[in-house]
Amino acid sequence: MLRPALLPYSRTLGRSMSVLAKALQYEHHGEPLDVLQLVEKKVEKPKNKQVLVKILASPINPVDVNIIQGRYPIKPKLPTVAGSEFVGKIIDIGNEVKGLQNGQHVIPLVNTAGAWSTHTIYQEDQLLAVSEKVGLAEAATIYINPCTAYRMLKDFVHLLPGDTVLHNGANSAVGQAVHQLCLAWGFKSIGIVRDRKEIDVLRDQMKKLGASLILTESEIRTTDIFKSGEFRRPKLAFNCVGGKSATELARHLDHHGVMVTYGGMSREPIEVPTGPLIFKDLAFRGFAVSDWHTKNHDKPERTQMFKDLLKLMEEGKFVGPACEMVPLEQFKESAKAALSFEGFTGKKFILDMNN
Amino acid sequence: MLRPALLPYSRTLGRSMSVLAKALQYEHHGEPLDVLQLVEKKVEKPKNKQVLVKILASPINPVDVNIIQGRYPIKPKLPTVAGSEFVGKIIDIGNEVKGLQNGQHVIPLVNTAGAWSTHTIYQEDQLLAVSEKVGLAEAATIYINPCTAYRMLKDFVHLLPGDTVLHNGANSAVGQAVHQLCLAWGFKSIGIVRDRKEIDVLRDQMKKLGASLILTESEIRTTDIFKSGEFRRPKLAFNCVGGKSATELARHLDHHGVMVTYGGMSREPIEVPTGPLIFKDLAFRGFAVSDWHTKNHDKPERTQMFKDLLKLMEEGKFVGPACEMVPLEQFKESAKAALSFEGFTGKKFILDMNN
């Protein structure tokens, strides 16, 4: 049953109890500012195993912008509603739904377009119920960045407590997730960030999240923290920048070390020197969380991952990225801001539909 | 017992039956022409589990030259006798030797300097007996190049019959081994070579060894053999060149493809584009056979590898690289020739001590 507070965005339409959702839709690829349109879409009452979700919050991720631009390998069928992850509240269920109930908070378990909408219909098995103890910003942003950090820490190298993880773009949302998971799991997170004036403020923020050390790109070039034994040489490095920054990470890798690339902010390729590749037995790998979700849809590892992340979030040991909640109607300003910062300010814009 | 034919190089010295070996020794790293010296070394009669080997043939590998130059991560204790692989004949054994006997051909099972010598002492368990059906050039060169090809084909990707292996430097000794193992195991070997005038002669040579197709570096840039389906997109590529050549191999890799680098002829790093790394889930790995031998010294995989390679050699299905046998005394001319061609002419120089 629709609650009065939801009425402004979900006008009941006669006896069918369908709602009018507001959604950010696009018909052609292009810059979000140019192609996104706020439209109204009729959403029918859920039938059988369907669930009607009132979306509460949905982030504007760099990947969402890239998909809209048509720069991402995933090409949705157009026209489509933008956005890929959210937290929502169940406001109606079909008569065959067994595992979910009205009022529960849910996140999507499928890689699907359409999160930038006030209401949407899912099949019961496409949703995961989450405790209301988990903050909206945390739940809304779990699917891409924390899952990326989680898988990169789990799937490439067997780390032992005290082992070092070295990563650039360390104030990005993935970087923030890496710090927190390293702290939770006993690894040392050494983050590299670009040289900047406010480096001390950033260092403090990142250390509060669990970073063992934050170095600028200048500092990592001359550091002796690995030579001195202050930190173990990293067996695992994460790269979202490319170019010289990636080369610098690789230079510090221990024998048999793996560098996982999950982004390419600099738009420069990674230069791999042949000698260390061969004689230090290094490996250079890539990772795309969207692929991982698709391939491991039914695997217990995936259930376990959500369980682990949500537990840390409930306990307050994992917080969402620094963010600004913005109304759906202000999507143009938000998209512009998200674009101009390219999502690497450490501040994420989250569409707030909780009204 | 020493046979008369061996006497000129192994003068018996009184009752102890020690021999005077001729050996190519160096006291300092440098160019082989400058630092190698032909010296005489007294080799005592073998005791207990020791075996005295008359070396018959030992190749001049690029890696041997690099070790002498001091450019290789393996740094032998100096002074040392150069050379790293050989085939020899047992000419005397200690009284506790059980598994080997006089007259048998043997190859070393240890990564040790000292092959460029007429005689040398090994422990019984450091040698593997090989049939005399195996040619001297084949047996003498099994340890580095065929083992490199064998492991790279076995250890990185699970290939199915009909799968394509793409490799540059395809006329190198490793390249020749790749062609032959691909033919024996049912894979398609597509080799890339540098543009050259005598390309047709080279194509014929490589096809006789088992290459499915030989393309020049110009041809691979524009080929449509993978688009057309004539060949399956490679899941595995081998790189010994680096630079643009490596980028070109990577460009053709199938999803989840692995590029294994075992050399860096061009001395240019490998450029890895971020997009394909992430979204095609590519992996860039390195391989050094010397490390592999050391780490897997006692493993059954190693015994099986030698068994497989020697069987193919006995059956005439695996021939050694095109080579020129040169007397030990002519090492200066041979080292110069090996250096100038950097071992990538498809012709290897083998020191002939079979006299």
Side-chain angles (χ1 to χ4, degrees):
Chain A
M1 208 190 76
L2 301 186
R3 298 189 310 177
L6 295 169
L7 284 176
Y9 289 114
S10 54
R11 283 173 273 152
T12 57
L13 298 172
R15 291 191 301 176
S16 70
M17 294 286 282
S18 64
V19 294
L20 258 193
K22 286 186 182 180
L24 287 173
Q25 183 173 284
Y26 60 107
E27 293 181 14
H28 309 287
H29 288 298
E31 292 309 312
L33 287 179
D34 301 330
V35 299
L36 284 185
Q37 291 180 303
L38 190 60
V39 298
E40 289 199 330
K41 292 178 90 79
K42 189 174 160 188
V43 179
E44 299 293 342
K45 184 177 166 61
K47 290 175 195 162
N48 309 325
K49 295 187 174 170
Q50 289 181 334
V51 175
L52 175 59
V53 179
K54 165 80 183 82
I55 294 183
L56 302 173
S58 173
I60 301 175
N61 291 305
V63 63
D64 297 318
V65 175
N66 290 335
I67 291 172
I68 297 167
Q69 290 168 325
R71 287 191 184 175
Y72 199 77
I74 295 173
K75 310 274 185 202
K77 206 178 151 188
L78 302 181
T80 187
V81 174
S84 50
E85 58 177 345
F86 66 80
V87 60
K89 180 182 283 204
I90 297 176
I91 57 171
D92 201 359
I93 59 175
N95 55 2
E96 293 173 26
V97 170
K98 307 278 187 205
L100 295 172
Q101 46 191 293
N102 278 339
Q104 277 185 318
H105 282 191
V106 285
I107 59 172
L109 278 176
V110 284
N111 251 341
T112 180
W116 295 357
S117 179
T118 54
H119 300 80
T120 185
I121 289 276
Y122 279 87
Q123 294 292 319
E124 177 181 9
D125 62 4
Q126 296 176 322
L127 296 169
L128 178 70
V130 302
S131 160
E132 284 185 46
K133 286 184 208 157
V134 177
L136 292 188
E138 280 71 21
T141 59
I142 200 172
Y143 201 86
I144 296 175
N145 297 315
C147 288
T148 296
Y150 185 106
R151 298 271 45 117
M152 293 198 304
L153 284 167
K154 287 265 187 190
D155 294 348
F156 293 88
V157 167
H158 179 66
L159 293 175
L160 299 174
D163 276 348
T164 303
V165 177
L166 184 64
H167 54 123
N168 60 21
N171 54 329
S172 71
V174 170
Q176 294 176 46
V178 170
H179 298 316
Q180 297 183 79
L181 291 179
C182 281
L183 181 65
W185 296 342
F187 312 137
K188 305 285 182 193
S189 172
I190 302 186
I192 315 302
V193 297
R194 280 179 287 194
D195 296 74
R196 66 189 72 209
K197 281 185 185 165
E198 332 74 39
I199 182 69
D200 290 335
V201 178
L202 188 60
R203 262 192 242 273
D204 284 349
Q205 286 173 349
M206 296 302 112
K207 287 196 174 179
K208 272 179 196 149
L209 289 176
S212 303
L213 191 65
I214 295 291
L215 298 174
T216 64
E217 296 206 330
S218 303
E219 288 167 342
I220 186 70
R221 282 199 281 279
T222 55
T223 188
D224 68 348
I225 52 169
F226 303 119
K227 226 179 220 169
S228 71
E230 187 183 346
F231 288 92
R232 292 183 198 161
R233 275 203 182 277
K235 290 188 174 66
L236 187 59
F238 304 145
N239 164 50
C240 65
V241 178
K244 281 181 191 169
S245 177
T247 305
E248 199 55 39
L249 295 191
R251 199 170 70 78
H252 291 288
L253 276 175
D254 198 3
H255 283 254
H256 319 300
V258 179
M259 188 169 96
V260 186
T261 291
Y262 67 96
M265 288 290 298
S266 73
R267 299 193 180 275
E268 288 167 9
I270 302 160
E271 279 207 0
V272 179
T274 299
L277 183 64
I278 299 176
F279 297 111
K280 288 175 75 177
D281 184 25
L282 303 183
F284 291 78
R285 307 280 305 272
F287 182 73
V289 77
S290 51
D291 278 2
W292 192 92
H293 278 301
T294 305
K295 273 178 214 145
N296 297 279
H297 184 256
D298 295 329
K299 300 277 169 63
E301 290 87 341
R302 192 160 178 258
T303 316
Q304 187 62 46
M305 172 172 64
F306 283 117
K307 205 171 148 185
D308 290 347
L309 289 171
L310 290 166
K311 184 161 181 283
L312 288 170
M313 288 173 174
E314 280 183 46
E315 293 168 347
K317 293 178 183 164
F318 193 111
V319 298
C323 63
E324 184 177 330
M325 304 293 281
V326 290
L328 188 61
E329 285 78 3
Q330 284 176 26
F331 73 94
K332 290 212 176 191
E333 294 84 340
S334 313
K336 196 174 170 185
L339 268 183
S340 65
F341 290 119
E342 287 179 301
F344 277 76
T345 45
K347 178 163 130 182
K348 197 176 276 290
F349 291 89
I350 299 183
L351 294 171
D352 179 5
M353 293 174 265
N354 188 20
N355 50 26
Chain B
M1 208 187 79
L2 302 185
R3 297 189 311 177
L6 295 170
L7 286 176
Y9 291 115
S10 53
R11 283 175 274 152
T12 58
L13 297 172
R15 289 191 301 177
S16 70
M17 293 287 281
S18 64
V19 293
L20 259 193
K22 286 187 183 179
L24 288 172
Q25 183 171 285
Y26 60 107
E27 293 181 14
H28 309 285
H29 289 297
E31 291 311 310
L33 287 178
D34 301 329
V35 298
L36 284 185
Q37 291 180 304
L38 190 60
V39 299
E40 289 198 329
K41 291 177 91 80
K42 189 173 160 188
V43 179
E44 300 291 344
K45 185 174 166 59
K47 289 175 195 162
N48 307 328
K49 294 187 174 171
Q50 288 180 333
V51 175
L52 175 60
V53 179
K54 164 82 184 81
I55 294 183
L56 302 173
S58 174
I60 302 175
N61 291 304
V63 63
D64 297 319
V65 175
N66 290 336
I67 291 173
I68 296 168
Q69 291 168 324
R71 286 191 184 174
Y72 198 77
I74 295 174
K75 310 272 185 203
K77 205 178 152 187
L78 301 181
T80 187
V81 174
S84 50
E85 58 178 345
F86 66 81
V87 60
K89 180 183 282 203
I90 298 176
I91 57 171
D92 200 1
I93 59 175
N95 55 1
E96 292 173 27
V97 170
K98 307 277 187 207
L100 295 174
Q101 46 189 293
N102 278 339
Q104 276 185 320
H105 282 191
V106 285
I107 57 172
L109 278 176
V110 283
N111 250 341
T112 178
W116 295 356
S117 180
T118 54
H119 300 80
T120 187
I121 289 275
Y122 277 87
Q123 294 293 319
E124 177 181 10
D125 62 3
Q126 295 177 323
L127 296 169
L128 178 70
V130 302
S131 161
E132 284 185 46
K133 286 186 209 158
V134 177
L136 292 187
E138 281 71 22
T141 59
I142 200 172
Y143 201 85
I144 296 175
N145 297 316
C147 289
T148 297
Y150 185 105
R151 298 269 48 115
M152 293 198 303
L153 284 167
K154 286 266 187 190
D155 295 346
F156 293 88
V157 167
H158 178 66
L159 293 175
L160 299 173
D163 276 347
T164 302
V165 178
L166 184 64
H167 54 124
N168 60 21
N171 55 328
S172 70
V174 171
Q176 294 176 46
V178 169
H179 298 316
Q180 297 183 78
L181 291 179
C182 281
L183 182 65
W185 295 342
F187 312 137
K188 305 285 182 191
S189 171
I190 302 186
I192 314 303
V193 296
R194 280 178 286 194
D195 296 73
R196 65 189 73 207
K197 281 185 186 165
E198 332 74 41
I199 182 69
D200 289 336
V201 179
L202 187 61
R203 261 192 242 273
D204 284 349
Q205 286 173 349
M206 297 300 111
K207 286 196 173 177
K208 273 180 197 149
L209 289 177
S212 303
L213 191 65
I214 295 291
L215 298 173
T216 64
E217 296 205 331
S218 302
E219 288 167 342
I220 186 69
R221 281 199 282 279
T222 55
T223 187
D224 69 348
I225 52 170
F226 303 118
K227 226 179 222 170
S228 72
E230 187 183 346
F231 288 92
R232 291 182 198 162
R233 276 203 180 275
K235 289 188 176 65
L236 187 59
F238 303 144
N239 163 51
C240 64
V241 179
K244 281 181 191 167
S245 177
T247 305
E248 199 56 38
L249 295 190
R251 199 171 68 79
H252 292 288
L253 277 175
D254 199 3
H255 284 253
H256 319 299
V258 179
M259 189 170 97
V260 185
T261 290
Y262 67 96
M265 288 290 298
S266 73
R267 301 193 179 275
E268 287 167 10
I270 302 160
E271 279 208 359
V272 179
T274 300
L277 184 65
I278 299 177
F279 297 111
K280 289 176 75 177
D281 185 25
L282 302 183
F284 291 79
R285 307 280 304 271
F287 182 73
V289 77
S290 50
D291 277 2
W292 193 92
H293 278 301
T294 305
K295 274 178 212 145
N296 297 279
H297 184 256
D298 295 328
K299 300 276 169 65
E301 290 87 341
R302 190 160 179 258
T303 315
Q304 187 63 46
M305 172 173 64
F306 282 118
K307 206 171 147 185
D308 290 347
L309 289 171
L310 290 166
K311 184 160 180 286
L312 288 170
M313 287 173 176
E314 280 182 46
E315 292 169 348
K317 291 178 183 164
F318 193 110
V319 298
C323 64
E324 185 178 328
M325 304 293 281
V326 290
L328 187 60
E329 285 77 4
Q330 284 175 27
F331 73 93
K332 290 210 175 190
E333 294 83 337
S334 313
K336 196 173 170 186
L339 268 183
S340 64
F341 291 119
E342 287 181 301
F344 276 76
T345 47
K347 178 164 131 180
K348 196 176 278 289
F349 291 89
I350 299 183
L351 294 171
D352 180 5
M353 294 175 265
N354 188 20
N355 50 27

